[in-house]
Amino acid sequence: MSFDQLSSIESGSGGGRRSNNGAYSDDPEFSRLSQGLMNQLFHLQGNMSKLRSDISLLGTKRDNPRLRERVSAVLEESTGQFKEVGEGIKKIQAWSDVTPTQKYSQQKLSREFKAALAEFQSLQRTALEKQRASVSAAKSALDHEPAGEAGASGQHGEQLQLQQQEQVHLAAQDEVDFQDALITEREEEIRHIEEGVSDLNVLFQQVAQIVSEQGEQLETIDTNAVNIRDDTRGADLELRNAARYQKNARSKACCLLLVLAVIMTIVLLAVFLG
């Protein structure tokens, strides 16, 4: 097999891990997945920024059905996205034969996802509290609905009073029905939020476990690195000592050879001159 054939086989068997300059790079599939997860986390951060602003308006004078509908929609959408990203995080953590760069990406994604998830759960709880307070206030207002005002006296006044009372009753009933519908809608939104909170609590525990395991791995790596550093320093010291001993021995050998050469020279001179 020629050198050119061997080079072509090596370049073809790298599975896309060798770059144009001959250096090895990360697995392209791993890179695509990690970059996609980072983009999704960035999008979720934007959603949470808008959501934080909208939730702060709940229960204020600027509160309205359109605002509540928007908050509910963003909460539901973000909950689904967090579940999707969570599955991606678990997939990328299970990646085998990772390089140091990929290991760093795994740890960074886990930390950022855990932080974003904790922030979103806090927003969920705040929205849930405000929705419950709104429902309680609406129910309390219905329980204290005022009665109609008294009308004029006399037969004609009694007829007019009856007509007014009937109109007030119909209007009040319409308002009660409307408020009941709003309460039912808000209670449904509360149930959706509670389901999302429950689902993300499980996901948060799983991610926290992953981050905890990574912390233990980092401690092990750090300990191993310290041990390797100490062993390397010890080996370097031993090599220096050995080099010094070898140098001293070489010097002694040279001196001995020089003495032997002088002795041999004297002996030869004595033989020839004698």
Side-chain angles (χ1 to χ4, degrees):
M1 180 179 294
S2 66
F3 178 76
D4 293 339
Q5 290 174 330
L6 181 61
S7 300
S8 63
I9 290 175
E10 289 179 348
S11 62
S13 62
R17 296 176 65 93
R18 185 182 289 274
S19 60
N20 294 331
N21 59 4
Y24 284 93
S25 60
D26 289 341
D27 186 349
E29 182 63 26
F30 182 95
S31 299
R32 281 194 294 269
L33 178 58
S34 60
Q35 186 60 46
L37 292 173
M38 289 297 294
N39 292 339
Q40 287 179 290
L41 282 175
F42 181 78
H43 178 70
L44 283 169
Q45 290 285 358
N47 279 356
M48 287 192 294
S49 178
K50 297 176 183 176
L51 189 61
R52 190 181 303 106
S53 177
D54 287 342
I55 290 177
S56 66
L57 299 178
L58 294 177
T60 66
K61 293 181 179 180
R62 299 175 62 182
D63 190 356
N64 56 72
R66 191 173 183 179
L67 173 67
R68 293 181 176 274
E69 182 179 352
R70 185 167 66 245
V71 168
S72 179
V74 175
L75 282 173
E76 185 174 357
E77 177 189 355
S78 299
T79 299
Q81 290 178 346
F82 268 106
K83 291 180 183 178
E84 181 180 348
V85 176
E87 292 301 319
I89 293 293
K90 288 188 283 187
K91 179 179 179 181
I92 208 168
Q93 295 301 325
W95 211 274
S96 59
D97 299 330
V98 293
T99 65
T101 303
Q102 291 171 337
K103 174 63 69 175
Y104 173 77
S105 297
Q106 288 177 329
Q107 296 164 357
K108 181 180 179 182
L109 280 169
S110 298
R111 289 195 303 268
E112 293 189 1
F113 178 71
K114 181 184 177 183
L117 183 57
E119 182 181 357
F120 181 71
Q121 287 180 303
S122 176
L123 292 174
Q124 277 184 318
R125 289 190 290 269
T126 303
L128 192 58
E129 291 171 0
K130 291 195 173 186
Q131 291 280 35
R132 287 171 176 168
S134 175
V135 169
S136 298
K139 288 181 177 180
S140 177
L142 285 180
D143 293 339
H144 297 83
E145 190 72 27
E149 296 180 356
S153 59
Q155 184 177 2
H156 179 70
E158 290 179 358
Q159 293 178 354
L160 182 61
Q161 182 180 3
L162 289 174
Q163 292 177 355
Q164 289 176 345
Q165 288 178 347
E166 184 177 358
Q167 291 175 354
V168 169
H169 176 73
L170 291 175
Q173 186 60 41
D174 289 341
E175 180 64 21
V176 169
D177 293 341
F178 177 73
Q179 292 297 330
D180 280 338
L182 285 180
I183 291 173
T184 302
E185 182 180 350
R186 291 178 184 178
E187 288 178 338
E188 184 67 23
E189 291 175 356
I190 289 174
R191 280 192 292 271
H192 282 305
I193 296 174
E194 288 174 338
E195 290 174 359
V197 169
S198 178
D199 292 341
L200 292 185
N201 279 337
V202 175
L203 181 59
F204 183 82
Q205 293 173 359
Q206 294 173 344
V207 174
Q209 179 65 27
I210 291 174
V211 173
S212 176
E213 291 174 356
Q214 287 179 342
E216 294 176 357
Q217 292 175 359
L218 285 177
E219 290 178 359
T220 303
I221 293 172
D222 183 63
T223 302
N224 291 337
V226 171
N227 293 336
I228 291 173
R229 182 196 63 191
D230 294 340
D231 292 342
T232 302
R233 288 178 177 176
D236 181 64
L237 181 60
E238 292 294 333
L239 288 173
R240 289 177 184 274
N241 291 334
R244 185 170 60 253
Y245 294 148
Q246 186 177 9
K247 183 178 179 180
N248 292 336
R250 190 181 298 114
S251 299
K252 291 178 181 180
C254 291
C255 291
L256 181 60
L257 289 175
L258 181 59
V259 170
L260 290 175
V262 171
I263 294 173
M264 289 295 296
T265 301
I266 294 172
V267 171
L268 290 174
L269 287 174
V271 170
F272 286 123
L273 293 176

